[in-house]
Amino acid sequence: MKYFIDRWRLYKKHQHDLEPLTPDTPIECIYDIINTLDKKDTIQRLQKFKRWPVSRTLVNGKSFQEKIKEGNFSPGTFGAEYKKWLVDDNFMDLVLIALGSQKTKSKLLDAYIKNSVITHDLAHFLNGYGTDSIGEVNVLSFDLAREWRASWSTIVGFLGWFSLKRHGLRAFITYVRWCTEAYLRGRRAVDFMYTDWEQMFDLPLDEVKRKVGIYDKPKLWNDPKLERYKSVLQNQG
């Protein structure tokens, strides 16, 4: 019963904040959903992260993001292309802000949060998903295939309901098809959370994509026939 009560409370409280999901969505809304639904699983996830051999260098040293920003890489390499993408991308990703802005005195938790940020960020970059609200939902669906989080699935579900309510069955079906494609792509990929990205900074970008299980572009996401639904669904209100 608590499963449904928590989600109903969050829906009633934040439905106007999430219609649509934009940079103007209050960050407190995203915080509330993540902290309410994911809190119990945090300790288990932290212990798994702690057991990962690479985590020790991230806890006691710089994060992958910091190493990318400070590094110099040859053109065409994963490091160079990702660094350029970070500079060119001016959209304020609400999920990244909600994760990355959390303050903690625990070095382990801090390293875990920073690694969660780059995991989410790279799902945008390597798949080619936009950083608008619909691209964001596709990334959450991709991430859910490798780590099921109640907060992410709830956000995807809320926005799916809004798409049906505001724009009808065809828009909703397109939404579901995009999310399903992203989820299946996530099933084929390695777990980004436990990937040593630093070992691949100097490799060609295409080689890195193959190594982590990204073999092609999302077909439905790039289908010209469905393109118009992106602008439709990005304006849920």
Side-chain angles (χ1 to χ4, degrees):
M1 181 64 69
K2 188 176 184 300
Y3 177 95
F4 297 104
I5 292 174
D6 284 344
R7 283 155 180 78
W8 178 248
R9 181 187 68 78
L10 290 167
Y11 173 77
K12 296 298 290 183
K13 183 178 179 180
H14 297 301
Q15 60 178 314
H16 298 298
D17 295 329
L18 292 170
E19 293 189 69
L21 182 66
T22 74
D24 296 323
T25 300
I27 198 62
E28 291 78 14
C29 165
I30 307 299
Y31 269 129
D32 193 21
I33 293 173
I34 291 175
N35 291 333
T36 299
L37 301 179
D38 293 346
K39 194 172 184 179
K40 285 187 176 180
D41 298 327
T42 300
I43 294 177
Q44 183 179 353
R45 293 189 181 111
L46 274 175
Q47 291 303 316
K48 181 178 179 181
F49 179 72
K50 186 177 181 180
R51 292 192 297 269
W52 181 39
V54 179
S55 69
R56 182 174 298 179
T57 63
L58 298 175
V59 170
N60 297 314
K62 296 179 179 179
S63 66
F64 290 134
Q65 294 99 318
E66 292 168 326
K67 293 174 181 179
I68 280 284
K69 290 176 182 177
E70 295 174 4
N72 293 308
F73 310 101
S74 300
T77 61
F78 165 55
E81 294 302 313
Y82 178 48
K83 186 175 183 178
K84 180 178 182 296
W85 183 84
L86 288 172
V87 172
D88 291 345
D89 177 24
N90 294 317
F91 183 84
M92 296 180 66
D93 189 318
L94 288 170
V95 174
L96 293 187
I97 294 171
L99 287 171
S101 298
Q102 297 188 62
K103 303 299 182 183
T104 171
K105 294 180 180 179
S106 166
K107 292 176 66 176
L108 176 63
L109 182 56
D110 185 59
Y112 172 83
I113 290 172
K114 288 180 179 178
N115 209 51
S116 297
V117 169
I118 196 170
T119 295
H120 180 94
D121 208 3
L122 285 170
H124 280 286
F125 171 66
L126 295 174
N127 284 288
Y129 290 128
T131 49
D132 50 36
S133 58
I134 300 304
E136 186 63 44
V137 168
N138 277 266
V139 166
L140 292 180
S141 300
F142 179 88
D143 287 340
L144 282 168
R146 292 163 297 125
E147 181 179 19
W148 188 267
R149 291 198 184 191
S151 62
W152 297 348
S153 62
T154 297
I155 291 172
V156 172
F158 281 174
L159 296 184
W161 165 245
F162 297 151
S163 71
L164 177 62
K165 184 173 68 169
R166 296 287 183 181
H167 304 295
L169 187 59
R170 288 188 178 181
F172 174 70
I173 290 173
T174 300
Y175 177 92
V176 171
R177 292 178 71 195
W178 278 335
C179 291
T180 301
E181 178 184 53
Y183 179 84
L184 293 175
R185 288 175 66 83
R187 289 286 299 271
R188 293 191 294 268
V190 304
D191 193 336
F192 286 13
M193 186 68 184
Y194 301 101
T195 297
D196 188 350
W197 298 105
E198 186 176 8
Q199 298 298 316
M200 297 186 283
F201 284 169
D202 295 312
L203 296 179
L205 177 57
D206 288 342
E207 182 178 342
V208 171
K209 286 184 178 182
R210 290 193 297 271
K211 280 180 174 289
V212 300
I214 305 296
Y215 301 106
D216 52 13
K217 295 180 179 179
K219 292 182 175 60
L220 292 175
W221 177 251
N222 292 289
D223 186 342
K225 295 179 182 178
L226 303 177
E227 188 69 26
R228 70 184 184 91
Y229 287 106
K230 292 179 184 177
S231 59
V232 169
L233 292 172
Q234 281 163 198
N235 296 282
Q236 299 273 19

